[in-house]
Amino acid sequence: MYDHIKITINEAIVFSLLEKLGNTYEVSKELNIGTAAVNASINNLEKKLDKILFERNRRTGRFLLTNEGSKISNYVKSLIQAAMCISTGPEIDDSSVIISSTHSIIEYILGPYLKTLKLTHPELKFSIQQKDSLKFEERKWNEIIITSFVDDIQNYYYIPYHSFKQKLWASEQYILENGSPNSLDELVVHDLLMRKEVDEPRALFGSSYIRSQLIDTKGLKIIDVYGARIIDYLCEQNWGIMSSSEESVKLGDIKVHNVYPDFKGDEIQIFVGLSKEFIKSHTAKKILNWIFESRNKALWKIGITPSYPFKPYS
């Protein structure tokens, strides 16, 4: 029945540490085993999966994940986390939660309502951490992430949160000095923007879109922004044009003007993700209700309707 399972917990740990540390010697020190055992574990796993998982950088000597290795990385981490939860057993604290997201969501959507959460649920233990990355690695079982990156749908729920549509913004001083661009071609002619299509969308769900490869020239910048990490003061400092959503500009009270309204920017779909095991807890349900309440209050305050409805958990 279990013949198809080709990876052991020990192999998963070696794989994960080699990805993190990039060096077999460092892995061997961490696990207190020989480097030969580390190499043997990786070689055996690659043979069983019939895939090359790592390649060695000739210049630095570091081990880097191949495309095949990247595909299984988060599944391997989930396997380790599940094993840790089983080992921990009753010591797991169901009243504790970690909330992870980008700077703009934490500061402008959740931040104003943290006091409400603390007063309403004083029994909860929660921490908040900023992760300005699409890919949230090494998740804790009780971590709730708000992100555009969707992975590991086998073990995680992803609840649609809001879609942020990117527009172009410039400070008044920039417009006075350089004029307002009326087309994408005008930006390209002035060497301000170079666009390049990518092969894969950045999330498994939501709209597919084009990634902008943006260049700095003549002292002027156009800022490429990933996901909801879109508050950038370069635009306010008259250093160029900023790609950002209307929500973030209004929530951050950034003094800029929309330029080239016909610009078709990325539509970044944001999700709230958490372990399917953790969502069963009362803590997770309370935090989820608060996360969506905060979203509603923040967006309604600036006259914007949330993209997705949410039915509170009882």
Side-chain angles (χ1 to χ4, degrees):
M1 177 179 178
Y2 302 106
D3 293 344
H4 64 287
I5 299 177
K6 296 183 178 181
I7 183 170
T8 67
I9 293 296
N10 288 338
E11 288 170 341
I13 291 172
V14 172
F15 173 94
S16 185
L17 281 175
L18 186 56
E19 177 188 357
K20 179 181 178 180
L21 302 174
N23 183 292
T24 54
Y25 175 69
E26 295 296 329
V27 175
S28 70
K29 285 201 305 181
E30 183 76 17
L31 297 177
N32 197 27
I33 60 177
T35 55
V38 174
N39 286 314
S41 178
I42 295 298
N43 291 338
N44 189 47
L45 182 57
E46 289 183 329
K47 184 176 180 181
K48 288 194 293 185
L49 297 178
D50 193 24
K51 299 178 187 299
I52 302 299
L53 304 176
F54 289 92
E55 59 183 13
R56 190 165 187 170
N57 186 300
R58 292 181 179 178
R59 183 174 63 85
T60 64
R62 291 183 60 82
F63 285 80
L64 302 173
L65 281 181
T66 62
N67 288 335
E68 294 292 344
S70 296
K71 289 178 182 178
I72 71 167
S73 175
N74 282 292
Y75 294 104
V76 171
K77 290 183 176 68
S78 296
L79 176 62
I80 296 171
Q81 290 163 8
M84 291 175 65
C85 288
I86 293 171
S87 300
T88 305
E91 294 180 8
I92 291 175
D93 184 359
D94 280 335
S95 68
S96 178
V97 64
I98 303 167
I99 303 171
S100 300
S101 191
T102 57
H103 166 266
S104 54
I105 288 181
I106 290 174
E107 182 169 354
Y108 297 112
I109 294 182
L110 302 182
Y113 308 104
L114 279 172
K115 186 176 180 180
T116 301
L117 175 63
K118 189 66 176 177
L119 292 174
T120 307
H121 298 291
E123 78 283 1
L124 295 183
K125 305 170 188 174
F126 62 89
S127 60
I128 295 180
Q129 57 184 4
Q130 177 182 332
K131 287 188 176 180
D132 286 329
S133 172
L134 291 178
K135 191 172 183 179
F136 290 75
E137 299 179 348
E138 299 182 10
R139 300 175 190 164
K140 306 293 190 301
W141 81 279
N142 60 338
E143 181 177 8
I144 296 178
I145 60 173
I146 308 174
T147 178
S148 62
F149 189 90
V150 175
D151 66 345
D152 193 9
I153 56 177
Q154 181 178 353
N155 298 301
Y156 276 74
Y157 280 112
Y158 288 93
I159 307 169
Y161 193 58
H162 188 67
S163 289
F164 294 86
K165 188 172 183 180
Q166 305 292 292
K167 298 180 180 181
L168 294 182
W169 308 85
S171 65
E172 186 172 354
Q173 184 64 31
Y174 178 90
I175 295 173
L176 288 174
E177 292 179 1
N178 302 281
S180 178
N182 297 311
S183 69
L184 190 63
D185 290 338
E186 187 175 324
L187 291 173
V188 174
V189 167
H190 288 88
D191 294 325
L192 293 176
L193 175 65
M194 177 173 63
R195 294 179 70 78
K196 178 181 178 182
E197 293 188 7
V198 294
D199 297 330
E200 298 179 2
R202 295 181 218 151
L204 297 181
F205 301 118
S207 306
S208 60
Y209 41 78
I210 294 175
R211 173 180 176 180
S212 302
Q213 301 286 352
L214 305 171
I215 57 176
D216 174 13
T217 179
K218 301 179 183 177
L220 304 174
K221 293 183 176 71
I222 296 178
I223 310 304
D224 185 21
V225 183
Y226 286 91
R229 183 169 58 89
I230 47 188
I231 301 304
D232 199 311
Y233 294 104
L234 288 175
C235 186
E236 279 194 299
Q237 299 298 323
N238 307 320
W239 292 345
I241 296 175
M242 177 175 68
S243 171
S244 180
S245 71
E246 184 176 2
E247 291 90 336
S248 292
V249 167
K250 288 184 175 180
L251 287 169
D253 193 26
I254 301 179
K255 307 302 182 184
V256 291
H257 299 273
N258 184 210
V259 294
Y260 181 28
D262 295 331
F263 173 73
K264 305 298 182 184
D266 299 345
E267 185 167 346
I268 311 298
Q269 194 172 13
I270 303 297
F271 297 87
V272 179
L274 71 166
S275 162
K276 290 182 178 179
E277 287 301 313
F278 186 52
I279 199 174
K280 299 174 185 177
S281 70
H282 293 298
T283 296
K285 293 175 181 178
K286 290 175 183 178
I287 295 292
L288 282 173
N289 287 345
W290 172 77
I291 286 174
F292 280 90
E293 286 172 7
S294 300
R295 176 204 68 173
N296 293 347
K297 290 177 182 178
L299 295 180
W300 287 339
K301 186 176 180 180
I302 58 174
I304 292 177
T305 301
S307 304
Y308 307 101
F310 175 76
K311 182 179 179 180
Y313 290 99
S314 56

